[in-house]
Amino acid sequence: MTKDLTTPRALEARLGVQIQNSELLEAALTHRSFAFEKGGLTHNERLEFLGDAVLGLAVTDMIYAWYPDLPEGDMAKLRASTVNMAVLADAARRLELGGSINLGRGEELSGGRDKSSILADAYEALLGAVYLDQGMESTRAVIERSLAEHIREHVEYGVVRDFKTNLQEVTAQLGDGVPDYRLSSSGPDHAKHFRAEVFVAGKSLGEGEGRSKKAAEQAAAMQALENLRPNGEDDA
């Protein structure tokens, strides 16, 4: 017998927390299109508003604690890159949240279960529900499980050290033109894995992998810089 991944208990298992107040969970999973069709049920927009605030505080706290040497400007960029709709929608997809959302007929027919805006909003609403039911500590744990890998990957390959820009500057100085990145991907849509290979003057200089195209390209650029650096030369 196939396991139903859309039930509240299955979703809670993926979240790693059990919400005691079933009404909160139901509200978090109810899109306004469904609520209006059913005559004005409670929908998830208020919980989304609360979850957005909780998310911002938790992500800020994580960045502040994990990266004590990160300047304020980079902390702000990292937070912004983490709490944006695309990242939150991807977190929702990994939780297979789309199948659990109560949608109106129009949204259902137009592919609402995989719309990034609906998924991101539902993810934030779930955080709001967890916060009201379990408190900040449990909510932060959910957020950390969902987003820690993105934060760490983004620090390593994006915000603090922009390897792609550095590589382009080096190749320009060498007269080798602009680096050429070639991408491939594998895995299902909700859990894509990307691989990048960077070529300079027609020669492959680096390869990298990541959960996003940008991360894979940054990793490839980092390897290319290592290969271009004279032996024994340290980073500037």
Side-chain angles (χ1 to χ4, degrees):
M1 183 176 179
T2 304
K3 186 176 181 180
D4 186 356
L5 299 178
T6 68
T7 65
R9 288 291 173 261
L11 176 59
E12 287 173 328
R14 296 193 294 277
L15 274 175
V17 65
Q18 186 171 342
I19 299 174
Q20 302 298 322
N21 187 331
S22 60
E23 292 183 1
L24 279 175
L25 180 57
E26 184 71 15
L29 296 174
T30 299
H31 188 259
R32 63 179 175 180
S33 61
F34 182 87
F36 294 162
E37 281 186 9
K38 298 300 181 180
L41 298 177
T42 301
H43 55 78
N44 64 11
E45 290 185 358
R46 281 174 56 83
L47 283 171
E48 174 207 338
F49 175 79
L50 176 62
D52 176 71
V54 173
L55 174 67
L57 176 59
V59 168
T60 302
D61 181 59
M62 288 156 60
I63 293 169
Y64 188 87
W66 292 351
Y67 303 105
D69 298 324
L70 200 61
E72 178 189 359
D74 284 341
M75 287 197 296
K77 286 191 290 183
L78 180 54
R79 179 177 59 193
S81 80
T82 303
V83 301
N84 72 50
M85 182 178 68
V87 172
L88 302 185
D90 284 344
R93 290 186 181 101
R94 290 193 297 275
L95 289 167
E96 300 179 76
L97 181 54
S100 300
I101 301 172
N102 299 316
L103 288 176
R105 180 169 174 78
E107 287 290 358
E108 185 79 65
L109 293 175
S110 65
R113 294 195 183 280
D114 196 48
K115 282 185 180 177
S116 290
S117 58
I118 290 176
L119 289 170
D121 289 350
Y123 175 79
E124 289 184 325
L126 266 181
L127 297 180
V130 174
Y131 174 75
L132 289 177
D133 192 74
Q134 302 284 326
M136 188 65 187
E137 185 175 347
S138 292
T139 312
R140 189 186 188 281
V142 170
I143 294 168
E144 187 169 334
R145 286 191 291 271
S146 298
L147 300 176
E149 185 177 349
H150 168 86
I151 292 171
R152 290 179 173 128
E153 186 177 75
H154 207 69
V155 167
E156 187 171 356
Y157 298 133
V159 171
V160 180
R161 294 173 290 177
D162 188 351
F163 297 112
K164 287 183 67 177
T165 298
N166 291 348
L167 178 61
Q168 187 166 332
E169 291 171 351
V170 169
T171 58
Q173 291 171 0
L174 295 173
D176 288 334
V178 178
D180 175 30
Y181 295 88
R182 302 178 191 178
L183 283 160
S184 61
S185 64
S186 60
D189 288 341
H190 68 276
K192 283 285 189 185
H193 189 80
F194 294 90
R195 180 179 179 277
E197 187 172 8
V198 60
F199 291 79
V200 175
K203 179 181 178 182
S204 176
L205 283 185
E207 298 178 1
E209 299 183 10
R211 289 195 317 166
S212 68
K213 293 177 182 178
K214 180 177 180 179
E217 289 176 346
Q218 288 282 355
M222 179 176 66
Q223 188 177 96
L225 285 166
E226 290 288 338
N227 289 331
L228 285 172
R229 182 185 301 125
N231 291 336
E233 182 178 317
D234 293 329
D235 289 331

